[in-house]
Amino acid sequence: MSYRIEELLITTLAPMLEGLEHVAVGAASPIPGAAALLARHRGGGRPRVSMLASRRHASFTDGARELFDCAAQGRIDAFFLGGGQIDGSANINLVGIDGYPASRVRFPGSFGSAFMYFVVPRVILFSLEHSRRVMVPRVDFVSAPGTSPSNVYRPGGPYALVTSRCVFRFDRDRGRFALASVHPGQTLEDIREQTGFDFDVPARIEQTPAPGAQDLVLIRGPVGKDISETYPDFARRVLELDAATA
Amino acid sequence: MTNLETLVEAIHDGASVALAPDYSGCAMAAVRALVRRGARDLRLIAVPQAGFQADMLIGAGCVGSVEAAAITLGEYGFAPRFTDAVKNGRITLRDSTCPAIHAGLQAAEKGVPFMPLRGILGSDLLTHRDDWKVIENPFSPDDAIVALPAIRPDVALFHAASADRHGNVWIGVRRELMLMAHAAHRTLVTVETVVDDDLLADEARAAGTIPALYVSAIAEVREGAWPIGLAGRYPADAAHLAEYARLARTAAGFERYLDEHVRGRASAA
């Protein structure tokens, strides 16, 4: 069965969420959202999914702060973060490039990253763009650091970096990424060429499994319908599902 | 009850103004009234992020500083007037992170001078915020934690579905608006409708109601969140928001937008 890159990313992210109790998904995150819902579908209703922009998957009734208070207590097992820049130590930059405060390129801001990165055990970094523009040797501004000294309270941190080209796992002790799998059609040379930081490479390089036929049926069926409540445009454009029939 | 123009007169030039995010209760009509009045040097506090309200006020030259976890138009892209003002150093930035703004407001809500918060250590946010302090946990050795000063806005400004004649305001599940009202010196609210019964009389509604004791003034403004939506009432005007995002990319386009939709709408608010 042919598939789109978005579908490959959904089936790549979903297994990272299976077996967890509670996954939260921030704003403007249709692919992580769909992955969380796929994991929930496969898991027979587990994990619980709290999706910020959703009404159907809204777990919170105490205002915008509740997500963070909930995470601070350890009630959220996985969360997604992105970055205008990401470096090899898993530092992320959501603020801007080239100077601060008068940055040459300004991004919206750090959102909850400077907190969630510390308290959510499994933070998955996600980036659709995998180029030297994003994957840099050193971020210009640290919105949230990838690692902390041992005396800093930090039950959470980076778990993996999933891009349009590959999957990296993060080794918290070594503070480095290691290539975990390469998406179909990509090569190690391509990835090295497009990555501005150094990373570990295993002796045998795995390929990211293509989405199975069953997963594609789920994604284009019940999971797609579910995500279309929050991301109708994504469901229409990528999964070719019309919100009216969803 | 008051009218819109009188309501925004209570927001003095230089005031700190807490604003809700685009998914909550945006007082867009009041923002347009502030632009028409030519408000100056407002110190915006995004709770914890802001979108069209902030971008429009910044573009119109009403803003001196911004404290925010993010300023973005969300699915409509980066906030163009904010970005332009940052690049050209026209506003003072106080970059924050979502729970830090909530925690500062919670400190104000409790009447305590600061609130400790986990995380943040090692972030460049801390480097640029000389009002944030790293302290030792007094109950446990070798445990640094960030102390954030209370955020007590001069004004909380937002839009809600309804108010009653006693001045109680119904916000439903949007309890960040409750937090804003608890923390601010003055809370100014526009509402879709004024109802005749008492919102506190019925427990189901009372749970989602800001009591009048926190509310300074209310103006009834139909579609007061437009072109942002109001949950349960009307959706966002997507075509209009896209048009704003397109025009606001340039200073000239933004001026054209203001002429057409803000300055030209004086009577229609």
Side-chain angles (χ1 to χ4, degrees):
Chain A
M1 245 166 128
S2 71
Y3 58 87
R4 291 172 187 258
I5 177 70
E6 291 89 347
E7 292 171 319
L8 175 76
L9 293 170
I10 292 168
T11 58
T12 302
L13 290 169
M16 299 182 183
L17 309 173
E18 280 165 10
L20 301 180
E21 286 292 333
H22 187 187
V23 175
V25 183
S29 306
I31 292 171
L37 293 177
L38 177 61
R40 179 174 167 81
H41 201 90
R42 284 172 173 168
R46 209 164 151 259
R48 176 190 300 277
V49 177
S50 297
M51 205 151 33
L52 271 197
S54 169
R55 296 196 88 176
R56 189 184 299 160
H57 297 283
S59 307
F60 303 121
T61 55
D62 204 15
R65 70 173 172 188
E66 191 181 351
L67 166 70
F68 305 101
D69 292 348
C70 188
Q73 291 182 306
R75 294 179 191 266
I76 294 175
D77 303 309
F79 190 68
F80 299 89
L81 288 172
Q85 292 182 325
I86 300 169
D87 70 25
S89 306
N91 298 310
I92 60 174
N93 172 8
L94 296 159
V95 165
I97 296 176
D98 201 1
Y100 184 88
S103 314
R104 181 175 55 79
V105 176
R106 172 71 203 201
F107 308 132
S110 300
F111 292 94
S113 65
F115 181 78
M116 297 298 266
Y117 217 16
F118 287 79
V119 297
V120 176
R122 192 172 288 196
V123 175
I124 299 164
L125 300 176
F126 178 71
S127 176
L128 270 179
E129 181 177 338
H130 184 148
S131 68
R132 281 180 179 260
R133 196 168 72 148
V134 177
M135 306 302 164
V136 295
R138 175 74 195 176
V139 295
D140 286 22
F141 186 102
V142 178
S143 284
T147 58
S148 300
S150 60
N151 60 345
V152 169
Y153 176 86
R154 186 161 193 178
Y159 175 77
L161 166 60
V162 177
T163 77
S164 52
R165 299 182 188 276
C166 64
V167 177
F168 296 105
R169 294 284 174 149
F170 191 71
D171 184 326
R172 288 185 199 172
D173 294 328
R174 303 188 61 220
R176 280 173 65 87
F177 285 110
L179 189 63
S181 71
V182 171
H183 297 344
Q186 299 287 329
T187 66
L188 176 61
E189 288 66 39
D190 294 337
I191 290 165
R192 280 214 167 104
E193 176 65 35
Q194 299 294 332
T195 307
F197 56 78
D198 191 30
F199 52 87
D200 295 335
V201 178
R204 186 170 166 276
I205 294 172
E206 302 279 336
Q207 191 176 84
T208 309
Q214 259 190 323
D215 281 336
L216 289 173
V217 168
L218 284 177
I219 291 170
R220 294 165 191 176
V223 169
K225 285 180 182 172
D226 208 357
I227 199 75
S228 73
E229 177 243 348
T230 315
Y231 296 107
D233 181 58
F234 174 80
R236 198 164 39 237
R237 195 168 37 79
V238 176
L239 308 177
E240 295 173 28
L241 286 167
D242 194 334
T245 62
Chain B
M1 296 301 144
T2 183
N3 63 45
L4 182 60
E5 309 300 328
T6 311
L7 185 92
V8 303
E9 270 172 33
I11 305 173
H12 304 296
D13 288 355
S16 62
V17 183
L19 295 174
D22 285 346
Y23 55 76
S24 189
C26 286
M28 287 298 291
V31 161
R32 288 189 289 273
L34 281 168
V35 171
R36 284 195 294 276
R37 197 196 77 198
R40 285 290 173 273
D41 298 321
L42 298 178
R43 291 174 289 142
L44 301 187
I45 300 161
V47 183
Q49 63 187 65
F52 289 90
Q53 299 179 104
D55 198 61
M56 195 180 292
L57 287 168
I58 291 165
C62 303
V63 176
S65 72
V66 174
E67 173 158 22
I71 303 289
T72 173
L73 304 186
E75 60 184 302
Y76 301 94
F78 286 178
R81 293 295 92 205
F82 163 70
T83 307
D84 185 68
V86 169
K87 279 187 200 170
N88 295 298
R90 279 199 303 276
I91 52 173
T92 302
L93 274 178
R94 301 173 80 212
D95 264 288
S96 188
T97 183
C98 302
I101 290 182
H102 294 132
L105 293 167
Q106 285 175 281
E109 191 177 42
K110 291 181 197 306
V112 296
F114 66 89
M115 187 70 78
L117 189 73
R118 289 299 189 186
I120 305 176
L121 296 165
S123 164
D124 284 340
L125 293 173
L126 189 58
T127 320
H128 294 281
R129 290 293 302 254
D130 54 12
D131 57 334
W132 292 0
K133 306 286 181 203
V134 179
I135 60 171
E136 277 299 316
N137 174 354
F139 301 98
S140 177
D142 195 25
D143 180 22
I145 190 163
V146 177
L148 304 156
I151 300 174
R152 185 113 208 250
D154 293 328
V155 175
L157 174 67
F158 54 84
H159 184 72
S162 61
D164 66 21
R165 302 206 179 272
H166 309 288
N168 303 306
V169 174
W170 189 77
I171 53 158
V173 79
R174 297 273 41 129
R175 293 184 70 87
E176 57 277 350
L177 303 177
M178 182 85 79
L179 174 63
M180 286 163 63
H182 287 173
H185 286 284
R186 315 191 65 192
T187 294
L188 308 176
V189 189
T190 58
V191 297
E192 288 294 311
T193 49
V194 176
V195 298
D196 287 321
D197 56 341
D198 181 352
L199 287 165
L200 294 180
D202 161 28
E203 261 195 56
R205 281 188 303 169
T209 297
I210 303 174
L213 86 98
Y214 300 103
V215 180
S216 311
I218 299 169
E220 190 175 24
V221 184
R222 289 287 156 87
E223 300 196 338
W226 178 88
I228 309 286
L230 185 64
R233 292 292 180 119
Y234 44 88
D237 184 344
H240 187 96
L241 294 177
E243 176 74 353
Y244 174 88
R246 191 179 67 76
L247 285 173
R249 274 185 224 153
T250 65
F254 179 72
E255 281 304 310
R256 219 164 66 233
Y257 178 91
L258 288 187
D259 282 341
E260 194 168 333
H261 297 289
V262 178
R263 296 180 185 124
R265 279 175 62 93
S267 57

